[in-house]
Amino acid sequence: MPFTLATWNINSVRLREPIVSKLLTEEGPDILCLQECKSPVDLMPLEKFAELGYGHVVARGQKGYNGVAILSKLPIQDAGDMDFAGLGHARHVAGRLENGVVIHNFYVPAGGDIPDREKNEKFGQKLDYLSDMRDWFRGSRPEKAILVGDLNIAPREDDVWNHKQLLKIVSHTPVEVEHFGAVMDAGGWSDVTRADIPQGLLYSWWSYRAKDWDAADKGRRLDHVWASADIKAAAHSSRILRGARGWEKPSDHAPVFATFDL
DNA sequence: ATGGTCGTCGCACGA
């Protein structure tokens, strides 16, 4: 059965309920994974999404920061969460579909501004979070699994607007890319978006600080869709809905879509 | 080389 999934860092699900609803109405993915909901679960506007057909929800929230949710048209079971790096943050939740596919929704720590764990605790926490992800997937190799989310790393040269200029900028430093690769290798994950769109610059995030984000186009691909080795061949038709970055009161991220024949 | 903008919570802090 083919299904389409999208992942979107929404930067407050309460403030942006209107554009989440717009996405659900206009694009109608079977599943939408949200990050940075910035809300306890019981204050998320889930009734609005249920009215649009997304009555199945698996979520973790906290006041003000982080928070992840999986909105689904299809029945989905809560499959738990992990607290990597011992941060006590709502950064992961998993759901299991009736066909057995497990969906992991992650919001990896951004890591602060200085790419040095001696000078910036947040950067160390980001690397530790990724190391814990690696160890977890090494211990139990994912099967029939999809991992999505804001991983806060743009791994490839063509995932950023200027590779050389960003080598010392958090999200594109070699040590982060190395940790990112270690998570992929440990789980046997494949990058679905790049399997579908192998060539060319590809971004999912544009800073709020740029005057004209569209014309300047100084983007980064921070949001990812991965598939476990056994189902990677089922994935196709990836796209990034760049237009959503220009919607009213936008998130600084655009949604990333992938379709699977499973 | 620097500052630029958001959201939350209620003044810095995180992104």
Side-chain angles (χ1 to χ4, degrees), chain A residues 191-258:
Chain A
D191 179 342
V192 165
T193 311
R194 277 305 190 179
D196 284 343
I197 314 169
Q199 304 288 337
L201 300 172
L202 200 55
Y203 313 139
S204 65
W205 174 87
W206 296 260
S207 173
Y208 283 128
R209 297 175 190 178
K211 273 198 175 106
D212 185 344
W213 71 274
D214 197 19
D217 203 18
K218 294 183 174 180
R220 306 177 201 170
R221 188 171 69 105
L222 304 180
D223 303 276
H224 299 271
V225 178
W226 294 352
S228 58
D230 54 341
I231 62 164
K232 71 174 184 180
H236 62 90
S237 309
S238 293
R239 64 195 175 97
I240 297 180
L241 192 65
R242 179 185 175 111
R245 179 62 178 80
W247 288 354
E248 66 285 0
K249 290 275 251 168
S251 167
D252 44 356
H253 294 252
V256 181
F257 288 75

Side-chain angles (χ1 to χ4, degrees), chain A residues 116-128:
Chain A
D116 179 346
R117 71 188 308 155
E118 303 301 320
K119 296 175 186 159
N120 167 22
E121 183 186 34
K122 292 182 187 313
F123 192 71
Q125 291 171 347
K126 181 178 195 174
L127 298 181
D128 292 346

Side-chain angles (χ1 to χ4, degrees), chain A residues 68-79:
Chain A
V68 286
I70 305 174
L71 313 180
S72 179
K73 286 181 175 175
L74 311 168
I76 189 165
Q77 250 190 341
D78 196 311

Side-chain angles (χ1 to χ4, degrees), chain A residues 93-241:
Chain A
V93 71
R96 183 178 289 100
L97 300 175
E98 286 181 329
N99 60 8
V101 171
V102 173
I103 296 170
H104 292 283
N105 182 13
F106 275 101
Y107 174 48
V108 170
D113 289 332
I114 304 167
D116 179 346
R117 71 188 308 155
E118 303 301 320
K119 296 175 186 159
N120 167 22
E121 183 186 34
K122 292 182 187 313
F123 192 71
Q125 291 171 347
K126 181 178 195 174
L127 298 181
D128 292 346
Y129 193 95
L130 293 160
S131 296
D132 285 355
M133 284 175 72
R134 175 201 64 200
D135 292 345
W136 190 49
F137 292 132
R138 187 176 283 158
S140 59
R141 273 228 153 191
E143 292 175 5
K144 288 185 78 175
I146 299 169
L147 184 155
V148 306
D150 177 3
L151 306 185
N152 267 312
I153 295 172
R156 294 171 33 148
E157 293 191 16
D158 52 2
D159 291 336
V160 295
W161 65 277
N162 187 319
H163 168 63
K164 280 191 176 172
Q165 204 161 326
L166 288 173
L167 277 170
K168 291 181 176 172
I169 302 299
V170 173
S171 73
H172 193 60
T173 64
V175 67
E176 289 169 273
V177 173
E178 178 193 327
H179 278 66
F180 182 99
V183 178
M184 288 195 83
D185 291 347
W189 296 105
S190 65
D191 179 342
V192 165
T193 311
R194 277 305 190 179
D196 284 343
I197 314 169
Q199 304 288 337
L201 300 172
L202 200 55
Y203 313 139
S204 65
W205 174 87
W206 296 260
S207 173
Y208 283 128
R209 297 175 190 178
K211 273 198 175 106
D212 185 344
W213 71 274
D214 197 19
D217 203 18
K218 294 183 174 180
R220 306 177 201 170
R221 188 171 69 105
L222 304 180
D223 303 276
H224 299 271
V225 178
W226 294 352
S228 58
D230 54 341
I231 62 164
K232 71 174 184 180
H236 62 90
S237 309
S238 293
R239 64 195 175 97
I240 297 180
L241 192 65

Side-chain angles (χ1 to χ4, degrees), chain A residues 16-26 48-49 52:
Chain A
R16 278 184 244 290
E17 176 277 319
I19 62 168
V20 173
S21 293
K22 179 179 169 76
L23 183 90
L24 296 175
T25 303
E26 294 182 1
K48 301 265 190 178
F49 307 141
L52 298 173

